[in-house]
Amino acid sequence: MEFIEKINQLKERTLTMAENLQTEEATKNALIMPFINALGYDVFNPMEVIPEYIADVGIKKGEKVDYAILKDNKPIILIECKKVDNKALDIKKHATQLIRYFSVTDAKFIILTNGIVYKFFSDIETSGKLDSEPFFVFNLQDFKENQIETLQEFSKEHFDIDKAFSNAGDLKYIKRFEEVIENEYKAPSDDFIRYLINKSGVCEGRITDRIIEKHKNTTIEAFNLFMSKVMKTSLDFSLSSKQEAKENKNKNEVVTTLEELEGFAIIKSLLIDTIDIQRITYRDNSSYFNILIDDNIRKTVCRLHFNRSQKYLSYIKDGKEEKVPLNSLNDIYSFADILKSKVNEILALQVK
């Protein structure tokens, strides 16, 4: 099963079960363990996943992490679980506990989750110190396609600690840049307007407060115009992609059925004494199933029309297509003489 399919199944699971999960333990069993399993880790194999993992910290003995995912007998990901109705998943409320976990294990990543939302943390800002903000948040009930790719990097098949950590840093900085861009879009700052004026060269000389104020609306309108172009391009691309997908689907609608192949086998058996049956081939299309000699459409022996409830066999007679109904595949045997005659006719034309 593809990874995206597993995640979509988990999404459906959260939608149907979440309201009935009254405890943290129920949340673990119904949602979080299946999530770990979807990442490719065997939750019942203590060499891969340890529940209630003990992380001793100084005088704090017996500190437990809900789950530790292992690689080469060392924890690589620690998972702290909360009840499904814990919507906030506030790291500050669990910070002391999580920081202790992080400081005494080899794990480079910690996940805080309620079974629906998964918050990924690491030490991107200061080495050895758990960041206060997650670098990645995955919501099973509301995710984008590109987030699937990020999540898959933490699966057993794809996990590479150096690559994952490098990408985690990128994600964190991208998120911050995005926030800056969004804020500038909603309310352009003086510094940003000054940058645009300088970069575009619309004003010579000193850029005064009056000039900046004058160009605030200009900046907002420019942003809106740019976003309109982006949205139009995105819409055009989406429509183009849908049309292309539709056309490809139409091209690929041909499905060779078992009945067609059985009919082909019957006809080959009828012609075994008339022609080398290795020369008998077929070409399927959306309307009918062609049976040919030498894979040549000009050497059509007959056609099987099996795409409707009433099945037919057809062949060319006196320049016209003769179509006869079939009640079952066994009816094909009654046309043995006609089919042999058709093959001999094609072979005779070939000799000439």
Side-chain angles (χ1 to χ4, degrees):
M1 184 185 295
E2 294 291 331
F3 186 69
I4 180 64
E5 294 175 0
K6 294 179 182 179
I7 298 304
N8 281 325
Q9 284 187 357
L10 285 173
K11 176 181 179 179
E12 293 302 316
R13 193 178 181 88
T14 65
L15 294 171
T16 57
M17 292 187 176
E19 291 184 0
N20 299 314
L21 303 176
Q22 303 300 319
T23 65
E24 182 181 305
E25 200 63 30
T27 302
K28 290 180 186 178
N29 293 335
L31 301 180
I32 298 170
M33 286 176 67
F35 178 84
I36 296 172
N37 190 60
L39 290 176
Y41 303 102
D42 184 353
V43 293
F44 301 110
N45 181 353
M47 296 183 68
E48 288 190 13
V49 180
I50 298 181
E52 299 295 311
Y53 181 75
I54 296 176
D56 289 334
V57 187
I59 61 173
K60 289 274 189 178
K61 301 297 182 181
E63 286 280 300
K64 294 180 179 179
V65 189
D66 287 311
Y67 296 101
I69 295 176
L70 309 182
K71 183 177 182 181
D72 299 328
N73 294 320
K74 294 182 180 180
I76 53 174
I77 302 172
L78 303 179
I79 303 177
E80 178 67 10
C81 307
K82 300 301 170 187
K83 190 179 167 186
V84 72
D85 61 2
N86 187 327
K87 306 295 183 183
L89 287 177
D90 189 351
I91 187 68
K92 293 178 181 178
K93 290 184 179 180
H94 314 291
T96 303
Q97 181 187 30
L98 291 175
I99 289 170
R100 287 201 299 267
Y101 292 165
F102 193 76
S103 63
V104 296
T105 70
D106 294 317
K108 201 67 178 173
F109 302 99
I110 280 183
I111 300 175
L112 177 61
T113 180
N114 62 0
I116 296 174
V117 177
Y118 291 79
K119 294 185 175 181
F120 290 69
F121 296 84
S122 190
D123 57 344
I124 296 165
E125 294 181 8
T126 305
S127 180
K129 181 181 179 182
L130 191 67
D131 296 340
S132 60
E133 295 294 330
F135 65 84
F136 176 55
V137 178
F138 188 85
N139 187 331
L140 271 172
Q141 295 182 352
D142 182 21
F143 57 83
K144 297 181 176 66
E145 187 174 340
N146 65 317
Q147 291 180 307
I148 292 288
E149 296 177 8
T150 300
L151 180 63
Q152 194 168 17
E153 290 180 3
F154 293 89
S155 68
K156 180 180 177 181
E157 182 182 358
H158 295 89
F159 187 79
D160 179 313
I161 192 166
D162 293 329
K163 181 180 178 183
F165 185 72
S166 175
N167 290 344
D170 292 342
L171 285 170
K172 193 174 188 74
Y173 300 137
I174 288 170
K175 182 180 177 183
R176 289 188 178 179
F177 291 172
E178 180 188 18
E179 289 172 353
V180 171
I181 293 171
E182 183 178 358
N183 290 335
E184 293 293 354
Y185 174 62
K186 291 178 179 177
S189 65
D190 289 356
D191 287 340
F192 184 71
I193 295 170
R194 183 178 286 104
Y195 168 79
L196 288 182
I197 293 171
N198 277 325
K199 196 70 175 176
S200 62
V202 298
C203 176
E204 295 181 359
R206 191 169 70 90
I207 301 173
T208 63
D209 291 343
R210 185 179 66 82
I211 292 174
I212 289 174
E213 186 65 30
K214 174 186 175 182
H215 285 292
K216 275 191 176 179
N217 286 335
T218 308
T219 302
I220 292 171
E221 289 301 319
F223 255 130
N224 289 333
L225 179 61
F226 173 72
M227 291 305 298
S228 295
K229 287 182 179 179
V230 170
M231 290 175 69
K232 183 179 184 304
T233 301
S234 178
L235 180 60
D236 289 345
F237 178 77
S238 177
L239 291 173
S240 175
S241 297
K242 286 180 179 179
Q243 180 62 30
E244 184 178 348
K246 184 178 179 181
E247 290 173 358
N248 289 336
K249 182 181 178 183
N250 290 335
K251 289 178 183 177
N252 297 322
E253 274 183 340
V254 178
V255 177
T256 300
T257 66
L258 181 59
E259 278 190 319
E260 289 170 332
L261 292 175
E262 288 176 349
F264 176 59
I266 290 172
I267 291 170
K268 285 179 71 175
S269 70
L270 295 175
L271 300 175
I272 195 167
D273 295 327
T274 309
I275 188 176
D276 178 0
I277 58 171
Q278 296 300 319
R279 296 178 64 186
I280 303 297
T281 59
Y282 72 82
R283 284 194 207 175
D284 199 2
N285 62 46
S286 58
S287 300
Y288 46 77
F289 185 90
N290 272 314
I291 296 179
L292 316 168
I293 295 175
D294 301 332
D295 196 29
N296 189 330
I297 200 68
R298 292 190 297 275
K299 300 178 184 179
T300 300
V301 177
C302 66
R303 291 171 177 172
L304 300 179
H305 302 261
F306 284 5
N307 296 334
R308 297 187 179 90
S309 56
Q310 176 59 64
K311 298 175 176 57
Y312 294 91
L313 180 147
S314 70
Y315 52 91
I316 302 300
K317 181 180 179 181
D318 299 329
K320 294 182 181 180
E321 185 178 22
E322 186 85 11
K323 186 184 287 187
V324 292
L326 301 174
N327 294 321
S328 72
L329 290 176
N330 288 333
D331 288 351
I332 296 174
Y333 288 102
S334 63
F335 295 94
D337 291 341
I338 292 175
L339 296 174
K340 290 177 182 179
S341 175
K342 189 64 186 175
V343 169
N344 286 326
E345 177 187 325
I346 295 170
L347 294 177
L349 290 172
Q350 185 179 354
V351 171
K352 292 179 182 178

